[in-house]
Amino acid sequence: MWIAAFLFGLISSLHCIGMCGPIALMLPVDRTNEGKRIFQILLYHFGRIISYATLGIIFGLFGKGLQLAGLQQNLSILSGVMMILIVIIPERKFSQINFSKPIARFIFKVKQKLGDQFKRKNNSSIFSIGILNGFLPCGMVYAALFGAIATQNIFGGGFYMIFYGLGTIPLMSVAVLISQFFQNKIRNQIRKIIPIAGIFLGTLFILRGLGLQIDYISPGNISLFIKSMPDCF
């Protein structure tokens, strides 16, 4: 499942280039020293992955609670369905969702602090931009978080999101280093792959939840993904 998370991150990074790409392109990196610029880009990604891992731990803990309630099988099916819905419903529809006031305030503060960090030009600000960027609303991250929930384990959820984040690094880095490579026409063509990847991964979660006794795909014993992973709870 880690490989699936990485591949989903790799493919969804095409979406990230369109949504978060402007943030990456505006990074206050050193453009006179190539080695330093690459280090700063990796620092930005490291910040994003920390945020993803934090969210994965939180959602993995939520999944653990559902597992204790005996809902693990239904949870996998629900996660798969939600992942599919998220990748096929247009992003603008999600932007119309009325978040509760605490979440809306949190997102507003994240955007505000993000703007402040762009005014600075040092490694700590670039790292902070990565962390804050990881908490911005994103349909692809939402889809990945349903995968973290289905792991039903705080470590599993964290690692799932780490591998998802690692998958986003290659193309996002190329977008910063060679911005002209990803012209709008090319991005729009490649983005067509995203729904296919999301549907495939969501279908895999649904099959696992159904317990059809198919080795590796839909095992009869629903001990999803992280059976041997240690757990603190």
Side-chain angles (χ1 to χ4, degrees):
M1 195 49 62
W2 309 134
I3 296 175
F6 179 85
L7 291 176
F8 186 58
L10 181 65
I11 294 172
S12 67
S13 62
L14 297 168
H15 171 273
C16 295
I17 290 169
M19 299 302 294
C20 303
I23 293 176
L25 293 173
M26 290 169 57
L27 283 176
V29 296
D30 189 331
R31 303 188 185 278
T32 61
N33 185 318
E34 191 65 20
K36 188 175 181 180
R37 181 166 67 139
I38 292 174
F39 170 75
Q40 290 173 329
I41 291 171
L42 292 176
L43 197 61
Y44 161 74
H45 290 311
F46 183 53
R48 283 195 308 114
I49 290 175
I50 287 178
S51 296
Y52 291 158
T54 301
L55 291 171
I57 289 171
I58 294 171
F59 280 79
L61 179 61
F62 178 65
K64 178 64 177 178
L66 294 177
Q67 180 196 32
L68 294 175
L71 299 174
Q72 61 266 38
Q73 192 163 350
N74 293 332
L75 173 60
S76 182
I77 297 172
L78 176 62
S79 296
V81 170
M82 293 303 298
M83 291 175 78
I84 292 172
L85 289 177
I86 287 173
V87 297
I88 63 175
I89 295 176
E91 185 85 16
R92 63 180 180 273
K93 294 293 183 180
F94 285 103
S95 65
Q96 296 173 0
I97 297 176
N98 184 22
F99 290 101
S100 63
K101 288 185 178 180
I103 297 177
R105 281 199 298 267
F106 173 76
I107 294 174
F108 174 77
K109 288 182 179 179
V110 167
K111 291 181 177 179
Q112 192 175 47
K113 290 183 179 296
L114 194 59
D116 293 338
Q117 293 301 321
F118 274 107
K119 299 175 184 177
R120 305 170 186 173
K121 294 185 178 181
N122 53 53
N123 290 344
S124 62
S125 66
I126 292 172
F127 178 67
S128 299
I129 289 171
I131 289 179
L132 294 168
N133 191 177
F135 287 112
L136 288 177
C138 174
M140 294 299 101
V141 174
Y142 296 158
L145 285 173
F146 276 101
I149 291 175
T151 65
Q152 307 164 16
N153 183 294
I154 61 172
F155 292 103
F159 277 110
Y160 187 92
M161 292 305 295
I162 286 174
F163 276 85
Y164 169 81
L166 290 173
T168 66
I169 289 177
L171 291 182
M172 288 286 286
S173 298
V174 171
V176 179
L177 293 170
I178 317 174
S179 58
Q180 65 271 23
F181 179 78
F182 288 101
Q183 298 176 355
N184 288 334
K185 184 177 180 180
I186 297 175
R187 279 207 309 260
N188 291 334
Q189 289 177 344
I190 302 179
R191 271 189 210 166
K192 296 176 182 178
I193 303 173
I194 295 174
I196 298 173
I199 291 171
F200 173 79
L201 192 57
T203 301
L204 180 60
F205 275 90
I206 292 172
L207 289 173
R208 279 185 170 269
L210 292 174
L212 301 176
Q213 298 185 350
I214 303 173
D215 290 342
Y216 305 110
I217 297 177
S218 184
N221 181 20
I222 305 299
S223 53
L224 296 174
F225 316 133
I226 316 297
K227 187 175 181 179
S228 61
M229 184 79 65
D231 199 330
C232 293
F233 294 84

